[in-house]
Amino acid sequence: MSLQLLVDDPWLEPYAADIECRLDRFLAREGEIKAAWGSLRSFAGMHELRGLHYSAEKCGWVFREWAPRAHMLSLIGDFNGWDAQVNPLRKNEEGVWECLVPDGDMGPVLRHGDAFKVQITGANGVHDRIPSNARYLTQDETSKDFVARVWSPEEPYDWSDTNFDIKALGEPRIYECHVGMAQEKERVGSYREFAEVVLPRAKRLGYNFIQLMAVAEHPYYGSFGYHVSNFFAPSSRFGAPDDLKYLVDEAHKLGLGVLMDVVHSHAVKNLAEGLGFYDGEEGLYFHSGSKGYHNQWDSYLFDYGKEEVLRFLLSNLRYWLEEFHFDGFRFDGVTSLMYHHHGDFVTFDHYDKYFKDGVDWDAVTYLQLANKLIQEVKPGAISVAEDMSGMPGLCREIEDGGLGFAYRLQMGIPDFWIKLLKHTLDEDWKIHEIWDILTDRRWREKSISYCESHDQALVGDKTIAFWLMDQEMYWHMRVTDDSHVIDRGIALHKMIRLITLALGGEGYLTFFGNEFGHPEWVDFPREGNGWSYKYARRQWRLAGNPDLKYRFLEAFEAGMLKLAEETGVLGADPAAQLNMDQENKVIACERNNLIFLFNFHPEKSIPDYRFRAHEAGNYRVVLSSDDAEFGGHQRVNAAVEYPTNEDGELSVYATNRTALVLQQVKDS
């Protein structure tokens, strides 16, 4: 019997052997793991053995580290005066080193908060390193050096989220966030400040998921968290591990799921903090030579074919799910991970590119194992793939021939919007092109649509609000100001968001602040800006100021998300065309029995715009971007009912630069 993926997409038939082989590789690897470890979950339990753990049975702290080619290892820290002679480790035949730090007369020698490292002697000399499984690090403000610290509070964190049900949240409406820049002051924000400021905001606006960037420890703040050094340590810039637990716990109390932006596609090069040359030579966690180095990202690349690396990364996923109660992951750099060429300068214009040219099959198997593990550890947790290649089956069940992701980010959509706003006049917009870009996704593979994420907010680029309104935002955002530029910008900003949600996928995402047209780009402290935090923050007061027009954009976001939640439109089948009118720049379509009508024309409002509805009946407007509360001109009367005529047509006042959503009026 053919795999369901092949049944659903006949164009894949010439690659049936490749897809079947992809599944066979997974099944073989999973079988080997289960035979040796009993279950995938047990295999992914390395974090319970490696690193520093207190053993009541052995009456002391046990420390273990994998460094098979190292000559000598010693545990050093506050507890032994940083003397490498006091606590040397011994190596077993598997290349794992171990030592016991026995309790003293007054109890454990190592105490909560103590600093420690592991000194490794290898082919490249003697180096004091951060342990690979360190749970908590801090950075010295003067020297900027990181140290690992014992995390063993007297009382473990007391969770209160036992009744939280991720399966009840429905299709994701994601608020992409960065903890450090989540407040207005020019400094790094904390986990607890985030819980106080951002979580209630996300709930009020209608999001049901928070997506946290830069969670795992990273040496350079300006990397946005994508140059990870310590995969098991939540970044101490924002607080202690229990502070992150508090954030997740509070989110769950509000009914918000929390996703972690996990970076398993590469790792930082830094020797002092990272995993490179960990046992004194290259090729331990990463590929050797050029194969192990990403030229574009200046970082190291994992060798997913190694069992220890596989255990390390899978254990990392289990750790974040169990220890911090995350509800899933957004996997960064999946395209780079799946292909040896990393997608650099490659156009995925032929199916050979997915199965014949440069595929890293070990990495593909890792992703399948990761998605299988996530469901074993936390059923209902979701995984989102940041992939621009369009790998067939990426978001299909593994047994159907897929990789098991729940969603794929629709990365082409924000690129399209920016390109359109940058290069094309309004009167030249092609509505069929808009439709094609927004609906271009694989059948039965769910995706997350978005107009812009953090990528479009970074310095060097512009947000959609900036492309639309540019410097006028600095001078004419007061409610009393008249500005054609601002009027156009607000109108199109609302339309772009709504049509992206309506057509683009089964989930929706916004980078926090962009929902109200945040006027500044994101620029982390660096030498080029005088190490300023001015642009590494969010100016929430702008949206809360009743005298400014930002509040209109925020109000529309809330109205749009409320509609999505109440109607379940994101969980419905893709939208179907009702009318495509290039001359008047009108798109009319239906999704989940809602009619979406978009008039992109810069000038033309049509009092009696007729098009055939998908079903006869009376309709009313349930959302209008032209409402006064959204900064519109209130040209459409929401109290009016629109009946279909004998030909099944609706007649609607289609005002220019306006989006309307109509719903059939049902008899009570």
Side-chain angles (χ1 to χ4, degrees), residues 36-37 41-55 57-58 60-66 89 92 94 96-100 131-135 232 285 308 311-312 315-316 318-319 322:
W37 295 89
R41 184 172 186 157
S42 296
F43 178 75
M46 187 180 71
H47 58 290
E48 297 177 335
L49 300 172
R50 303 287 169 80
L52 191 65
H53 298 274
Y54 186 77
S55 171
E57 179 182 353
K58 295 185 178 182
W61 288 90
V62 177
F63 179 77
R64 300 184 184 91
E65 192 65 275
W66 179 56
L89 280 68
N92 66 18
E94 295 176 346
V96 177
W97 298 73
E98 180 177 332
C99 74
L100 173 68
S132 62
N133 282 258
R135 303 289 184 89
F232 290 85
Y285 286 93
E308 285 287 340
R311 287 189 68 203
F312 178 84
S315 297
N316 189 236
R318 178 182 165 187
Y319 170 74
E322 292 182 339

Side-chain angles (χ1 to χ4, degrees), residues 14 78 102 108 189 200 251 313 322 334:
D78 292 338
L313 295 174
E322 292 182 339
V334 168

Side-chain angles (χ1 to χ4, degrees), residues 643-655:
T644 54
N645 62 19
E646 62 276 9
D647 295 322
E649 292 179 332
L650 281 171
S651 174
V652 178
Y653 184 21
T655 55

